[in-house]
Amino acid sequence: MTSWVPDACTLPTEERPLRVAEFDTLLSTGVTEMVRVDAGHVRLTLRPERVAEAADLVARESACCSFFDFTLAGTVLDVRVPTGHVAVLDGLVARVS
């Protein structure tokens, strides 16, 4: 379930499944469109009613996984990672329904 979570993540191991579940919920029910801009960048369009939830989640994720670069503008969430963490982005993209 959390095999794509990198060692660089500082979130305690026991909390990781809960965070993955939060992402699963947001990505499976809150995304209306996904565009893979390039290997290290994905652009997600969110349902307006899920923007506050997304803002909270990405703020908490930024605190434990500093390699993520999240930019939320309106209903558009850009997620970027450096080359060494593309597999993590792939893991998130795979969860979008």
Side-chain angles (χ1 to χ4, degrees):
M1 177 179 185
T2 61
S3 61
W4 53 271
V5 177
D7 293 336
C9 179
T10 61
L11 188 67
T13 303
E14 65 274 6
E15 292 181 31
R16 291 179 185 180
L18 299 173
R19 182 67 55 84
V20 169
E22 287 183 86
F23 270 106
D24 282 347
T25 298
L26 177 66
L27 296 173
S28 67
T29 64
V31 175
T32 61
E33 182 181 12
M34 178 187 70
V35 175
R36 189 74 181 249
V37 178
D38 60 41
H41 179 193
V42 67
R43 177 168 291 135
L44 305 171
T45 302
L46 305 171
R47 297 182 187 287
E49 65 273 15
R50 304 303 289 277
V51 170
E53 173 188 351
D56 175 63
L57 182 56
V58 300
R60 290 183 288 122
E61 188 64 15
S62 294
C64 66
C65 292
S66 60
F67 58 85
F68 273 119
D69 177 15
F70 295 105
T71 305
L72 182 60
T75 60
V76 176
L77 175 62
D78 282 295
V79 184
R80 292 179 180 86
V81 296
T83 304
H85 292 288
V86 169
V88 178
L89 191 60
D90 292 343
L92 285 177
V93 166
R95 299 176 122 64
V96 176
S97 298

